[in-house]
Amino acid sequence: MQDTRMDADVIVVGAGPTGLMLAGELRLGGAEVIVLDKLAEPTGQSRGLGFTARAMEVFDQRGLLPRFGQGESLEVSPVGHFGGVQFDFTALQGAHFGARGIPQSQTEAVLAGWATDRGADIRRGHEVLDLHDGFLDGDHVEVTAQTPDGVRRLRARYLVGCDGGKSTVRKLAGIGFPGTEATRAMFLADVTGLDLKPRYLGEALPNGMVMAAPLKEGVHRIIVCPHGAAARSADDTVTFEEVAKAWEHITGEDISGGGAEWVSFFSDATRQAAEYKRGRVLLAGDAAHIHLPAGGQ
């Protein structure tokens, strides 16, 4: 007799903000959820710094704001932007503002705790290796995953890929990712040993644009967008020296005497999944679409 047992109603791949929020929401609806993430532990890196007014509204609806440990003192900003066009949220009475100074690592920790409290099963160190035939016209989907206990096959009614722009789930499901290639590179870093003036919404200068915001005592997040910086391969690395040179080229300020907790780069590549759902496989977050961060909410 064929084994028809399900490990869960839904398997979510990726324990970033999208996957964790989805897991919590599914549990509120009564679905059994397993979250798989290939990393044994969260990186601790925080590409996101704060969240939007809409995210603040959703978190408030779910009673999550007190979990950030700041309650009514949560630092908010009454202004925001879309693609660099600034908005004044105070124009709407009772509107939520965006939060700032909240590292993505903290947001992920809050959402992981909430999803776990709701009953989600978060399994780290589980990397999806294969997606098996049958998800297009069957009543379930099966994946093979490398786990700390060896290779295992898991079965669920649905599988959701929340595993980022290089989504393994998207590729295994055969979903195309058309769009435009990167034309330029931009940098971000968490720098130390420097006294930088805040540039929360960015400062446009003749040679590019820079942003800066304090993260914690002695640490600033900077974003550096030099004009004319060529696109880079996704496999490239970037050094603090490169970031410091780009910062000086734009601002005239020498930050080479400082250091960095981590550095990275991003691009203006824009892609959208050809399908958000194929059979019993769905995509969400960066797995479904990527774009320049300035184009977000």
Side-chain angles (χ1 to χ4, degrees):
M1 179 180 293
Q2 185 178 11
D3 185 0
T4 59
R5 290 175 298 179
M6 298 289 176
D7 293 285
D9 294 310
V10 182
I11 294 174
V12 175
V13 181
T18 298
L20 293 170
M21 189 74 195
L22 175 60
E25 291 291 314
L26 288 168
R27 284 300 302 142
L28 288 177
E32 294 296 323
V33 183
I34 294 174
V35 180
L36 306 179
D37 196 278
K38 66 181 181 180
L39 297 179
E41 299 290 340
T43 66
Q45 296 180 352
S46 296
R47 293 176 180 271
L49 186 58
F51 35 82
T52 65
R54 175 56 180 153
M56 177 79 89
E57 181 179 55
V58 171
F59 289 169
D60 189 22
Q61 289 171 337
R62 291 294 180 249
L64 290 173
L65 295 183
R67 289 179 177 246
F68 286 89
Q70 301 182 58
E72 296 298 324
S73 65
L74 188 70
E75 185 179 4
V76 299
S77 174
V79 295
H81 75 92
F82 182 86
V85 178
Q86 293 190 19
F87 291 118
D88 178 4
F89 296 134
T90 63
L92 298 176
Q93 186 175 3
H96 282 268
F97 300 154
R100 66 187 185 191
I102 306 294
Q104 183 175 318
S105 56
Q106 183 181 358
T107 301
E108 290 181 1
V110 165
L111 293 178
W114 175 65
T116 301
D117 289 348
R118 302 280 76 75
D121 181 358
I122 300 175
R123 303 182 184 182
R124 299 193 180 274
H126 286 61
E127 181 177 5
V128 171
L129 303 175
D130 200 5
L131 177 63
H132 301 282
D133 292 338
F135 66 88
L136 284 174
D137 52 13
D139 63 355
H140 68 278
V141 59
E142 288 186 359
V143 297
T144 296
Q146 179 68 54
T147 80
D149 299 319
V151 176
R152 282 197 58 195
R153 183 177 284 202
L154 299 171
R155 174 183 294 187
R157 300 188 189 283
Y158 294 95
L159 176 75
V160 187
C162 302
D163 50 342
K166 298 179 182 179
S167 173
T168 296
V169 170
R170 186 185 65 238
K171 295 171 184 175
L172 291 174
I175 298 174
F177 204 39
T180 58
E181 298 289 344
T183 64
R184 59 183 298 189
M186 290 150 278
F187 310 111
L188 68 161
D190 289 350
V191 298
T192 59
L194 299 168
D195 184 16
L196 300 176
K197 74 174 184 179
R199 296 172 168 99
Y200 292 111
L201 295 179
E203 181 179 2
L205 296 164
N207 291 327
M209 189 275 289
V210 295
M211 298 177 69
L215 279 179
K216 55 187 177 182
E217 184 68 30
V219 182
H220 287 75
R221 163 68 52 82
I222 64 171
I223 298 176
V224 192
C225 306
H227 292 329
R232 305 171 72 118
S233 166
D235 297 323
D236 284 353
T237 58
V238 62
T239 65
F240 174 64
E241 287 73 20
E242 289 180 82
V243 175
K245 287 181 180 178
W247 182 274
E248 185 172 14
H249 177 64
I250 296 171
T251 67
E253 301 169 2
D254 182 3
I255 63 171
S256 61
E261 293 187 341
W262 71 286
V263 296
S264 186
F265 71 93
F266 59 100
S267 75
D268 59 348
T270 303
R271 297 188 179 278
Q272 185 171 18
E275 306 166 79
Y276 280 14
K277 178 180 182 294
R278 190 170 191 209
R280 290 182 172 267
V281 176
L282 298 94
L283 302 175
D286 287 350
H289 42 68
I290 60 171
H291 53 76
L292 185 69
Q297 285 190 50

